[in-house]
Amino acid sequence: MYNISDEVKHVLVNKEELDRITTDLAARISEDYKDKNLVLLGILKGSVPFMSDIMRKITLPAELEFMKVSSYGSGTVSSGELKIHLDVLRTGLENCDILVIEDIIDSGRTLKKVVAHLLEKGARSVKTCTLLDKPSRREVDFTPDYVGREIPDYFVVGYGLDFDEKYRTLPYIGIPNFVFENK
Ligand code: IMP
Ligand code: MG
């Protein structure tokens, strides 16, 4: 029977490591935000599995919000304009300590602009938590506050990450077979 995981044979971060990463991050966040009003803000769609796992390990009360954005950075428009498809659906962010949850940081353009946007909307504080970081790819000055794991410049899929909307549902992160076949 066809199995989608046959298309992603090289596993980079397995289930057990994902479990360890979300446990560690959730413990740090629970400690750091104990006197704050934590709002977890997921960037759709890639953050969904990561956010779902981490939220259930955070021991503080936390509100949930989402944004859907796309960044036209390198390749299309060099200005790196941020397009907001779904903005945060609440007003009165003055007493919110927002922690943006993202799947991966590449150039850094998306999260840098999301943070600026939320501060402009009046959020009391805005920090960022990414599952994966590719620091070697950075094009703008941006440092995430919480990082699950740094990875080299590989194209990865699974656990929220997609190629052409595919592979997001895999329970691990891997390098799709086609990356090796095209070499
Ligand atoms: P940035 O604005 O360049 O930091 O782009 C971050 C976005 O690019 C992420 O939210 C992902 O949607 C996408 N992205 C970057 N690297 C990868 C990858 O290796 N696999 C899948 N998506 C990626
Ligand atoms: Mg994406």
Side-chain angles (χ1 to χ4, degrees):
M1 202 179 80
Y2 171 76
N3 187 329
I4 180 73
S5 65
D6 291 339
E7 294 186 29
V8 187
K9 291 212 172 114
H10 186 93
V11 178
L12 196 66
V13 191
N14 65 24
K15 279 190 199 179
E16 290 71 29
E17 188 176 351
L18 288 167
D19 190 45
R20 274 199 302 276
I21 288 172
T22 50
T23 299
D24 290 351
L25 288 175
R28 284 175 55 200
I29 292 164
S30 299
E31 176 62 27
D32 295 352
Y33 280 84
K34 59 178 184 250
D35 300 317
K36 299 188 165 30
N37 181 27
L38 175 60
V39 177
L40 299 172
L41 189 152
I43 303 298
L44 295 171
K45 301 171 218 172
S47 71
V48 167
F50 177 46
M51 184 165 176
S52 154
D53 281 343
I54 206 169
M55 70 166 81
R56 287 175 289 166
K57 293 178 176 179
I58 290 173
T59 53
L60 301 172
E63 295 177 36
L64 303 182
E65 292 289 344
F66 292 94
M67 285 180 71
K68 188 169 194 314
V69 302
S70 56
S71 175
Y72 297 100
S74 45
T76 48
V77 184
S78 58
S79 65
E81 174 206 348
L82 181 79
K83 190 150 192 322
I84 297 177
H85 305 283
L86 170 70
D87 202 349
V88 54
L89 289 176
R90 62 173 281 175
T91 48
L93 297 179
E94 297 73 28
N95 61 351
C96 292
D97 297 301
I98 298 179
L99 183 60
V100 181
I101 309 290
E102 175 65 304
D103 52 2
I104 190 166
I105 304 182
D106 189 68
S107 71
R109 289 181 195 281
T110 305
L111 275 197
K112 188 167 179 147
K113 301 220 164 173
V114 166
V115 170
H117 174 79
L118 292 168
L119 287 172
E120 195 164 305
K121 287 193 85 147
R124 180 165 61 200
S125 71
V126 183
K127 292 197 172 188
T128 56
C129 173
T130 186
L131 173 64
L132 301 176
D133 188 11
K134 293 180 187 171
S136 66
R137 298 264 305 169
R138 206 69 95 244
E139 289 172 20
V140 295
D141 180 26
F142 181 80
T143 308
D145 299 286
Y146 301 90
V147 177
R149 192 175 134 174
E150 289 189 359
I151 60 166
D153 181 17
Y154 294 126
F155 186 80
V156 292
V157 297
Y159 197 65
L161 291 145
D162 72 304
F163 171 72
D164 246 350
E165 294 302 321
K166 218 171 146 186
Y167 307 115
R168 290 193 199 274
T169 56
L170 286 175
Y172 57 87
I173 288 165
I175 303 169
N177 300 351
F178 69 75
V179 167
F180 302 104
E181 283 153 11
N182 292 345
K183 279 218 161 126

